[in-house]
Amino acid sequence: MGSADDTNPPAENYGGTSHRAAIPPPQPFVKSLKNTLKETFFPDDPLRQFKNQSPGRRLALGLQYFFPILEWGPRYTWQFFKSDLISGITIASLAIPQGISYAKLANLPPVLGLYSSFVPPLIYAVMGSSRDLAVGTVAVGSLLMASMLGEVVNPLEDPTLYLHLAFTATFFAGLFEVGLGFLRLGFIVDFLSHATIVGFMGGAATVVSLQQLKGVLGLDQFTHATDIISVMRSVFSQTNKWRWESAVLGCVFLFYLLLSRYFSKKKPKLFWISAMAPLTSVILGSVLVYLTHAEKHGVQVIGHLKKGINPPSIMHLNFDSKYLTTAIKTGIVTGIISLAEGIAVGRSFAMFKHYHIDGNKEMIAIGMMNMVGSCTSCYLTTGPFSRSAVNFNAGCKTAVSNIVMAIAVMITLLLLTPLFHYTPLVVLSSIIIAAMLGLIDYDAAIHLWHVDKFDFLVCMSAYVGVVFASIEVGLVMAVGLSVLRLLLFVARPRTFVLGNVPDSKVFRSVDQYQNARSVPGILILEIDAPIYFANSNYLRERISRWIDDEEDRVKSSGETDLKYIILDMSAVGNIDTSGISMLDEVMKIVDRRGLKLALANPGAEVMKKLNKSKFLERMGQEWIFLTAEDAVGACNYMLHSCKPKMDSDVLEKYSNNV
């Protein structure tokens, strides 16, 4: 910090001729509201491409917007098809065992997993904007549905009602997703922060893996609760019913699946080994059970799977008021989770290939495939990471890979379902466990700890909430903490003391730049957030404390007495009436202390409101400056000239009216 003796520069070192902060021209309220709504709901300006186009061209562009296949379809080539054919067959080999496994996880008939890998991918191929997303059921969504619906209806006691509620919840999930897309409310999904998703997915993966102990140990009865305490109690209360044959078979196939993944990670070109491992596990397990008659020795099998493609289920949607609330709640929660995963996965792979996907269009596509799926015997689907990663690594070019996968699943439904009769459930449990272990991202959690401790706390709260309470509790805890942090940022914005960086006209935080020197007689404060009712009282008190601290420092060091307070408002994007009242109070506090207040670089919205509230008249517009540099220059000039107020000479030197 400089002293009065070594820091007494002339005014021009800090200013020179400048422009005074201007008041923006008045704008009609309707136009201002329109611009605000446009930036909130249409930041990507989707109507831009329709300008200056003929009606026919506008119709074509409108159809292409909602059905992207009409845009890239005419440019589709044979080379693309060869790549998509290989990718589609590869992900089909993963989709079939995963679909059966996740349907069992959701306490639904296994064939629904195959149904859900047939119709929804066809819908997405027409309406989706991602080239790499592979559509299907997901473990977390399946577990959520089982957990939330299982609280109301027991799937073993009333499987028909449970099935109908699953279709209804899927319908509401799709309706909610489509609504978000059409209303341009995609920013709601952004409240699921990266830290929240890491913790939630890790916790859900842990719970899903523990739930598979039922299949691994060959247990008939098992808890429907998802918390670790209930699961462990259910496991160890039935030690006399454990089947060693099932446990050995499960461990062998789990080792095989993890080993294949290890080799695929070591040599990415061998990705197909990991991709084919689930299907080969199903085939080997089925052959082994058939040859050894293991189903007679405690190894549970799938049993009969109905042949044929999806039967209609639109008449099975249950809107009974007794269960409607449960169906809507389940649909909204699972819909948000499926959107968060699908859009995040799609954007991740789009980044690798340098193209852009529209989040709102993705919401409409995912929502439509769930709505149509609910009417064709499907349950919740999205773009799972594991299947999409295989699709990406297999070299897919377009969404046609989803069509190829759907055709492969259709052939399976029409011809091959009897072959799954002897598929052991323990193999499906091993497939789920292997997939879930890949969702527990230790590296991401460690990275959060090193970078941001609060983000790590959010992550762990989601994980602990999911594992020790329930999926819904974990999600609410994580989102609640994230929103609390956001509110704290608004309610307790940061303020900094600025100093002059030597040999420059730049002013920076004295905490960040240790060589930045305070200007004698002047306290420069920067406010790092909009000023609203939630933080106005805090800012008033904080500014008063900064003034107290500076006066104490000046007295103890013998520097020039404090005369001017400059508020750098570069980061203040907006202000409300409470904020304006706060500035009035700060101005009164400063006046009572015999000081003078100046503002530097208030934005257009701030200037407009300060002008309308007559604050500029009360303060004196000559005390509003374009930059902190200009404000310091003017205040320094006043100090050196020993003038009691800002006169026309200073205004002429430091302010050109605009």
Side-chain angles (χ1 to χ4, degrees):
M1 294 295 184
S3 64
D5 296 326
D6 60 14
T7 309
N8 233 352
E12 54 268 20
N13 286 349
Y14 292 100
T17 302
S18 65
H19 290 281
R20 182 153 49 92
I23 302 169
Q27 191 177 52
F29 172 75
V30 174
K31 183 177 180 181
S32 177
L33 179 63
K34 179 182 176 181
N35 290 337
T36 301
L37 293 176
K38 179 181 177 181
E39 286 303 312
T40 302
F41 299 106
F42 301 94
D44 54 344
D45 193 11
L47 299 179
R48 181 178 61 254
Q49 59 181 329
F50 294 94
K51 295 176 181 177
N52 303 320
Q53 300 289 346
S54 64
R57 180 58 180 163
R58 289 181 181 181
L59 176 61
L61 290 173
L63 291 174
Q64 289 177 3
Y65 181 82
F66 289 105
F67 304 101
I69 194 172
L70 298 177
E71 180 183 356
W72 55 262
R75 303 193 303 269
Y76 197 71
T77 65
W78 174 250
Q79 294 297 324
F80 283 1
F81 178 71
K82 289 192 292 184
S83 298
D84 289 335
L85 180 64
I86 296 172
S87 302
I89 294 173
T90 304
I91 57 176
S93 68
L94 181 63
I96 293 169
Q98 271 192 353
I100 295 172
S101 304
Y102 294 159
K104 290 291 292 181
L105 181 62
N107 294 322
L108 294 168
V111 73
L112 256 67
L114 298 180
Y115 291 161
S116 301
S117 295
F118 172 46
V119 172
L122 296 176
I123 302 297
Y124 185 82
V126 174
M127 301 188 68
S129 58
S130 172
R131 307 170 194 167
D132 304 282
L133 209 65
V135 172
T137 56
V138 287
V140 175
S142 301
L143 181 65
L144 261 174
M145 187 164 287
S147 173
M148 299 182 73
L149 294 182
E151 293 177 356
V152 179
V153 179
N154 190 316
L156 298 178
E157 296 176 359
D158 197 344
T160 301
L161 177 59
Y162 182 87
L163 176 64
H164 293 175
L165 288 181
F167 292 148
T168 310
T170 301
F171 174 81
F172 281 115
L175 185 64
F176 176 70
E177 291 164 342
V178 169
L180 289 182
F182 274 116
L183 296 176
R184 315 289 292 183
L185 298 176
F187 60 84
I188 291 178
V189 179
D190 293 337
F191 280 95
L192 292 175
S193 66
H194 173 67
T196 301
I197 293 175
V198 169
F200 176 78
M201 296 298 284
T206 302
V207 169
V208 170
S209 299
L210 292 174
Q211 285 274 344
Q212 300 318 300
L213 291 176
K214 174 186 177 182
V216 172
L217 298 174
L219 299 175
D220 293 319
Q221 302 295 326
F222 207 73
T223 179
H224 294 291
T226 58
D227 63 283
I228 188 172
I229 296 174
S230 299
V231 172
M232 290 294 98
R233 184 185 295 119
S234 183
V235 168
F236 288 102
S237 65
Q238 305 182 70
T239 52
N240 59 318
K241 298 180 181 179
W242 292 4
R243 306 295 305 208
W244 67 267
E245 301 93 341
S246 181
V248 169
L249 194 62
C251 291
V252 168
F253 279 105
L254 180 59
F255 177 76
Y256 165 66
L257 291 165
L258 295 178
L259 188 65
S260 65
R261 178 187 297 172
Y262 174 79
F263 279 118
S264 295
K265 284 187 176 181
K266 285 293 182 182
K267 295 187 177 181
K269 291 184 178 180
L270 300 178
F271 72 91
W272 56 270
I273 295 178
S274 178
M276 296 294 292
L279 185 60
T280 54
S281 297
V282 168
I283 295 172
L284 291 174
S286 301
V287 171
L288 182 62
V289 169
Y290 178 77
L291 294 177
T292 62
H293 300 287
E295 76 277 9
K296 299 178 181 179
H297 302 283
V299 177
Q300 300 171 341
V301 296
I302 288 179
H304 175 69
L305 280 182
K306 183 180 177 182
K307 289 179 64 175
I309 58 175
N310 304 32
S313 58
I314 186 170
M315 300 305 296
H316 298 322
L317 298 180
N318 190 324
F319 299 110
D320 188 337
S321 58
K322 183 178 179 181
Y323 304 106
L324 189 60
T325 302
T326 299
I328 293 175
K329 182 176 71 171
T330 304
I332 291 176
V333 173
T334 56
I336 290 176
I337 295 301
S338 67
L339 276 183
E341 181 171 359
I343 294 176
V345 170
R347 285 176 175 170
S348 298
F349 290 114
M351 181 181 64
F352 283 118
K353 289 189 177 180
H354 309 291
Y355 70 94
H356 173 72
I357 65 172
D358 186 327
N360 289 296
K361 287 166 66 176
E362 286 295 284
M363 289 181 180
I364 295 173
I366 294 174
M368 285 302 300
M369 73 185 190
N370 278 317
M371 289 182 67
V372 175
S374 69
C375 300
T376 53
S377 298
C378 304
Y379 78 105
L380 188 76
T381 53
T382 186
F385 177 80
S386 57
R387 201 178 301 185
S388 300
V390 170
N391 194 33
F392 176 84
N393 289 325
C396 69
K397 299 299 182 183
T398 68
V400 170
S401 59
N402 277 291
I403 298 177
V404 174
M405 177 187 70
I407 293 173
V409 172
M410 179 190 70
I411 294 172
T412 302
L413 285 167
L414 291 174
L415 304 175
L416 305 179
T417 49
L419 299 179
F420 293 98
H421 179 91
Y422 290 99
T423 300
L425 296 182
V426 66
V427 171
L428 302 183
S429 296
S430 300
I431 292 172
I432 293 175
I433 292 174
M436 291 302 97
L437 292 178
L439 294 180
I440 303 177
D441 197 342
Y442 306 100
D443 293 334
I446 294 172
H447 179 71
L448 290 174
W449 170 260
H450 288 306
V451 175
D452 191 321
K453 299 297 189 293
F454 194 96
D455 267 352
F456 179 78
L457 176 62
V458 171
C459 173
M460 292 310 298
S461 69
Y463 182 86
V464 171
V466 169
V467 172
F468 288 94
S470 68
I471 289 181
E472 304 94 274
V473 170
L475 191 60
V476 169
M477 286 176 60
V479 173
L481 276 175
S482 297
V483 173
L484 176 62
R485 185 186 198 184
L486 183 64
L487 293 176
L488 285 175
F489 281 151
V490 175
R492 296 293 182 266
R494 294 175 297 176
T495 55
F496 309 99
V497 175
L498 303 184
N500 176 235
V501 177
D503 302 321
S504 75
K505 299 179 181 179
V506 175
F507 292 84
R508 292 292 182 267
S509 169
V510 296
D511 290 330
Q512 182 179 0
Y513 295 88
Q514 300 299 315
N515 63 336
R517 298 182 298 175
S518 63
V519 182
I522 303 173
L523 174 63
I524 314 166
L525 299 175
E526 179 179 353
I527 301 174
D528 193 29
I531 304 175
Y532 294 127
F533 65 93
N535 59 29
S536 58
N537 288 331
Y538 167 77
L539 285 174
R540 184 189 64 249
E541 298 297 330
R542 191 68 185 96
I543 292 170
S544 296
R545 281 189 283 129
W546 278 124
I547 296 173
D548 291 337
D549 293 343
E550 181 67 10
E551 288 185 331
D552 291 341
R553 187 191 68 81
V554 167
K555 289 178 181 178
S556 63
S557 63
E559 295 181 11
T560 304
D561 290 342
L562 185 61
K563 296 294 184 182
Y564 297 99
I565 309 298
I566 299 174
L567 296 183
D568 188 336
M569 304 181 70
S570 304
V572 181
N574 210 331
I575 191 170
D576 65 0
T577 53
S578 298
I580 296 171
S581 297
M582 181 275 292
L583 290 180
D584 271 317
E585 292 176 24
V586 168
M587 188 167 61
K588 293 175 183 176
I589 292 171
V590 169
D591 287 342
R592 283 198 298 267
R593 292 172 179 253
L595 309 175
K596 194 64 183 176
L597 179 68
L599 304 183
N601 195 26
E605 277 296 311
V606 177
M607 282 295 289
K608 182 174 68 176
K609 291 181 180 179
L610 293 181
N611 181 53
K612 287 185 175 180
S613 65
K614 308 298 182 181
F615 176 83
L616 296 183
E617 294 181 11
R618 296 191 296 273
M619 181 182 183
Q621 193 169 344
E622 66 271 16
W623 291 99
I624 312 293
F625 297 90
L626 190 60
T627 65
E629 176 187 343
D630 292 341
V632 170
C635 294
N636 236 331
Y637 182 87
M638 296 290 293
L639 281 171
H640 297 155
S641 302
C642 299
K643 295 182 178 181
K645 63 179 181 178
M646 189 83 72
D647 59 19
S648 58
D649 295 336
V650 180
L651 287 177
E652 184 179 355
K653 187 173 180 61
Y654 289 98
S655 300
N656 291 329
N657 292 327
V658 291

